[in-house]
Amino acid sequence: MRITDARVIICSPGRNFVTLKVTTEEGIHGLGDATLNGRELAVASYLTDHIIPLLIGRDARRIEDTWQYLYKGAYWRRGPVTMTAISAVDTALWDILGKAVNRPVYELLGGASRDSVMVYGHANGSNVDDTVAAVGRYVTAGYKAVRAQCAIPDMPHAYGVGRGDLYYEPAERGTPPETAWSTERYLPFVPTLFERLRREFGPDVHLLHDVHHRLTPIEAGRLGKSLEPYHLFWMEDPVPAELQEGFRLIRQHTTTPIAVGEVFDSVFDCHQLITSQWIDYIRTTVVHAGGISHLRKIANLAELYHVRTGSHGATDLSPVCMAAALHFDLSVHNFGIQEYMRHTDDTDLVFPHAYTFADGVMHPGNASGLGVDIDELLAAQYPYEPAYLPVARRQDGTMHSW
Ligand code: CS2
Ligand code: MG
């Protein structure tokens, strides 16, 4: 099963996506998502200029060996661009293997560990009433878990307040938009939001909140403690996580469960977090953390330490990543939850897929491989458009983490 062709397809059906398509001598093709929001062309070049020439002629069945060849062979290890490119190759090879043996990928990963995959959606609003209404729409739509974000009074650009109900798209065409941030206003406000949500929706719906890397460890400890009465499913990305040791301090102060990892690209970003039991959910995902192969290694380590998975699944991760994530989620024992922000209708048409949503849960479907494809003719009608994620400044003008 020699690889005879590999190509990068860049399209923008509502937002930018980079997709790797690998084809074998038998004419089987596999897909991998290679989208790195705001830095898309760097991954496209890494694949086209440095990886694709190495793939031609390789045996597509040697998935682990190819992973190690690309990882060790580059000499320069890790980093989001490298790892997103390796992820795309790995995902495409799993897709090919599934198609070659005519089985859905989750069966090759050990089979289903559960009947379906619980997902959460994003509810947000420009004030508490709007956020309550948005959570209500998700509950009515059958969701068992909802992430709630709200603009802080007098701070309209708090993280997570998007432009649509179903899609959350922070990247904007042109240069990076600037947003303002105030920890002083945020910290006392968030508990009032969740107090209201629990009053409106009762104890059963899982409520989540994304801090989006904005706090220091001691501030995060205070927030977690003040949210304990509302028993969140998780508090996400409380601090920027380069300093794994910082989570020890958060953990000392609160029992609110902690999720982290959407920007991590390998197990080396989180091994200390996991083995020290400083977190409860690891959010690494197929497209950025080394593909299905490496994500399984992270999950297997996490399982030993009672840490469960909660993969990133925002709108900027393509339907190819979503399909791969669902095969992973269904098979892995220590699954926790999967984020699911819907794609636009244009995106769904470009990437026809077998995965389904009903009653708050998803299933990858039983098509062979990943069960997702790309309509290249349609994709060509949506050319790449440069776009950036926002940046954040504190009110005195100091750069802050967005
Ligand atoms: C977010 C993302 O989904 C999440 O939890 O943190 O929306 C994130 O901001 C984007 O994926 C960045 O590309
Ligand atoms: Mg997040």
Side-chain angles (χ1 to χ4, degrees):
M1 235 174 35
R2 299 278 150 204
I3 295 170
T4 49
D5 186 47
R7 279 180 308 117
V8 170
I9 303 156
I10 306 174
C11 61
S12 194
R15 71 160 344 283
N16 291 318
F17 293 114
V18 179
T19 309
L20 176 69
K21 181 172 182 173
V22 179
T23 308
T24 70
E25 58 193 336
E26 294 81 8
I28 301 175
H29 74 264
L31 299 181
D33 183 16
T35 309
L36 185 61
N37 202 358
R39 297 292 186 271
E40 294 86 358
L41 299 185
V43 184
S45 159
Y46 194 102
L47 282 164
T48 304
D49 298 325
H50 304 292
I51 284 190
I52 287 176
L54 310 178
L55 292 181
I56 307 303
R58 292 185 70 83
D59 185 341
R61 290 167 298 195
R62 296 187 63 172
I63 301 176
E64 179 67 18
D65 182 63
T66 300
W67 195 100
Q68 299 293 347
Y69 178 75
L70 297 175
Y71 182 82
K72 294 184 165 64
Y75 185 64
W76 311 105
R77 297 183 185 203
R78 304 164 59 195
V81 174
T82 301
M83 295 306 288
T84 302
I86 294 176
S87 300
V89 175
D90 182 83
T91 310
L93 296 187
W94 279 105
D95 192 18
I96 288 172
L97 187 63
K99 287 176 177 169
V101 300
N102 198 23
R103 303 308 314 161
V105 166
Y106 74 82
E107 288 194 2
L108 310 182
L109 303 177
S113 284
R114 57 195 50 77
D115 300 331
S116 59
V117 169
M118 180 169 73
V119 299
Y120 71 91
H122 295 191
N124 62 70
S126 47
N127 55 53
V128 172
D129 286 340
D130 286 356
T131 304
V132 169
V135 171
R137 286 193 290 277
Y138 276 100
V139 171
T140 306
Y143 281 77
K144 303 173 197 315
V146 188
R147 179 186 103 159
Q149 308 292 135
C150 186
I152 308 165
D154 301 323
M155 297 241 75
H157 295 117
Y159 164 75
V161 182
R163 278 164 294 177
D165 266 2
L166 291 173
Y167 326 110
Y168 173 65
E169 180 49 78
E172 288 190 21
R173 311 296 189 206
T175 52
E178 301 235 345
T179 61
W181 177 251
S182 164
T183 300
E184 295 75 12
R185 287 177 192 270
Y186 171 78
L187 279 178
F189 173 70
V190 183
T192 66
L193 170 67
F194 283 91
E195 193 270 330
R196 173 82 187 276
L197 290 171
R198 276 293 170 224
R199 206 158 14 100
E200 299 275 347
F201 298 103
D204 290 342
V205 62
H206 295 305
L207 294 174
L208 299 79
H209 182 67
D210 190 349
V211 182
H212 219 252
H213 332 268
R214 300 290 168 92
L215 301 177
T216 64
I218 200 67
E219 290 164 351
R222 173 182 156 194
L223 180 65
K225 201 171 189 170
S226 63
L227 290 171
E228 281 169 20
Y230 317 113
H231 51 98
L232 266 58
F233 188 91
W234 77 34
M235 169 172 80
E236 176 180 333
D237 286 340
V239 295
E242 291 94 331
L243 181 69
Q244 296 186 43
E245 179 73 25
F247 282 72
R248 179 204 299 273
L249 193 57
I250 308 175
R251 203 57 152 178
Q252 279 168 359
H253 290 283
T254 181
T255 56
T256 293
I258 298 168
V260 68
E262 65 181 43
V263 301
F264 293 174
D265 55 55
S266 80
V267 71
F268 301 107
D269 291 323
C270 51
H271 64 102
Q272 202 184 350
L273 291 173
I274 291 171
T275 58
S276 304
Q277 295 180 275
W278 289 331
I279 59 169
D280 301 278
Y281 296 92
I282 182 68
R283 281 178 47 70
T284 41
T285 194
V286 171
V287 56
H288 299 134
I292 292 171
S293 299
H294 195 70
L295 210 59
R296 288 176 86 200
K297 294 181 185 181
I298 297 174
N300 292 163
L301 175 69
E303 182 188 345
L304 305 181
Y305 294 91
H306 304 278
V307 174
R308 292 190 285 160
T309 66
S311 288
H312 189 200
T315 307
D316 52 291
L317 285 66
S318 93
V320 177
C321 177
M322 193 65 211
L326 291 170
H327 286 274
F328 166 80
D329 297 336
L330 197 68
S331 63
V332 73
H333 170 69
N334 53 322
F335 166 77
I337 199 167
Q338 169 67 50
E339 181 178 15
Y340 173 49
M341 272 317 274
R342 288 160 194 265
H343 293 105
T344 62
D345 291 341
D346 287 350
T347 298
D348 282 338
L349 287 171
V350 168
F351 296 95
H353 50 259
Y355 60 76
T356 51
F357 169 88
D359 300 326
V361 298
M362 294 183 76
H363 193 282
N366 287 309
S368 61
L370 295 174
V372 63
D373 214 337
I374 184 165
D375 180 336
E376 290 192 61
L377 286 177
L378 193 55
Q381 292 178 23
Y382 299 98
Y384 169 77
E385 292 184 43
Y388 286 95
L389 286 168
V391 297
R393 289 185 190 279
R394 295 210 293 267
Q395 284 175 306
D396 69 355
T398 309
M399 280 300 303
H400 198 67
S401 303
W402 175 74

